[in-house]
Amino acid sequence: QLVESGGGLVQPGRSLRLSCTASGFAFGNHAMSWVRQTPGKKLEWVGYIRNKGYGGPIEYAASVKGRFTISRDDSKNIAYLHMNSLKTEDTAIYYCTRDSGTTGPGASDIWGQGTLVTVSS
Amino acid sequence: SYDLTQPLSVSVALGQTANITCGGNKIGSKDVHWYQQKPGQAPALVIYRDTNRPSGIPERFSGSNSGNTATLTISRAQPGDEADYYCQVWDGSVIFGGGTKLSVL
């Protein structure tokens, strides 16, 4: 399973770090993705990180590239989403997912319960 | 940018077949994944790479993809199938459809 944490209320322009703790599967063998869901229920992809075995660049959506950074600590079974320069339009539920794609994003076959990020002054 | 078009809502009579479409330019050349989201829950994968069901998903759920339309078919619809359904593809970026609300009457 996947459990996200770190969400909350943050002012525009500030930063926040989300964590995703995995259990029940070999975390290091799998790619991971972050997906968010806006208040209007629209699903938006945030980014994707491959497992270490495949290497390659971390992929980001254009709307967050340069502001958000995805990383992983396989020794702790945790994936991270570092969010800088937050905007009101980043307000959403953020989901961590296990991604079945290896060389690029595929289907998200396991989802966390989500953590709510609200960007507001 | 690549767009995916889904109907806002689909209604189906109890026990009948529901078809939820996902339209996109030459979508038949792409892998399409489908997710089900029930109220208050995270999305869950129901079909991957056009036609494949993850373990635990009933055989009543099936998918097809050709030309400019991918379709999620739910046979013998049950009240528990009421949910929002989203399609997803990769086109240099992950794209989601706008979602379809399925009502079982």
Side-chain angles (χ1 to χ4, degrees):
Chain A
Q1 75 177 52
L2 299 171
V3 178
E4 301 93 339
S5 59
L9 174 64
V10 61
Q11 293 179 328
R14 303 297 293 264
S15 300
L16 202 62
R17 187 185 77 168
L18 305 183
S19 299
C20 168
T21 302
S23 61
F25 66 92
F27 178 76
N29 291 345
H30 292 273
M32 300 296 293
S33 284
W34 287 91
V35 176
R36 65 188 183 185
Q37 188 164 34
T38 68
K41 296 173 58 178
K42 179 181 176 183
L43 288 176
E44 296 180 345
W45 175 68
V46 174
Y48 163 91
I49 184 167
R50 294 167 175 80
N51 70 32
K52 292 293 195 298
Y54 280 89
I58 300 170
E59 312 274 359
Y60 295 98
S63 59
V64 306
K65 196 168 187 177
R67 298 189 299 124
F68 289 12
T69 301
I70 295 172
S71 61
R72 61 190 298 160
D73 185 338
D74 290 350
S75 68
K76 297 181 180 178
N77 289 355
I78 299 178
Y80 298 101
L81 178 62
H82 304 256
M83 303 184 292
N84 296 324
S85 303
L86 282 161
K87 305 176 182 180
T88 55
E89 52 262 42
D90 294 320
T91 294
I93 297 172
Y94 284 75
Y95 293 102
C96 166
T97 81
R98 189 179 80 171
D99 200 300
S100 62
T102 51
T103 58
S108 287
D109 59 2
I110 299 176
W111 294 63
Q113 86 287 353
T115 187
L116 177 63
V117 172
T118 303
V119 184
S120 174
S121 55
Chain B
S1 64
Y2 191 83
D3 291 325
L4 293 175
T5 301
Q6 295 184 239
L8 284 175
S9 63
V10 168
S11 297
V12 61
L14 181 66
Q16 297 304 301
T17 297
N19 291 300
I20 299 173
T21 58
C22 177
N25 186 36
K26 298 180 182 178
I27 195 173
S29 66
K30 305 180 187 300
D31 288 338
V32 179
H33 317 299
W34 289 93
Y35 302 91
Q36 175 193 68
Q37 186 177 31
K38 296 182 179 180
Q41 298 183 16
L45 182 67
V46 292
I47 293 290
Y48 64 97
R49 292 204 305 271
D50 298 342
T51 61
N52 299 277
R53 277 178 292 104
S55 61
I57 300 301
E59 291 183 7
R60 301 185 298 103
F61 288 79
S62 62
S64 63
N65 185 18
S66 178
N68 293 321
T69 304
T71 303
L72 173 67
T73 298
I74 304 171
S75 304
R76 301 182 300 282
Q78 302 177 2
D81 298 332
E82 286 202 335
D84 294 325
Y85 291 86
Y86 298 87
C87 56
Q88 176 212 326
V89 301
W90 165 258
D91 184 65
S93 180
V94 172
I95 309 296
F96 287 95
T100 298
K101 182 177 182 60
L102 177 68
S103 298
V104 180
L105 307 176

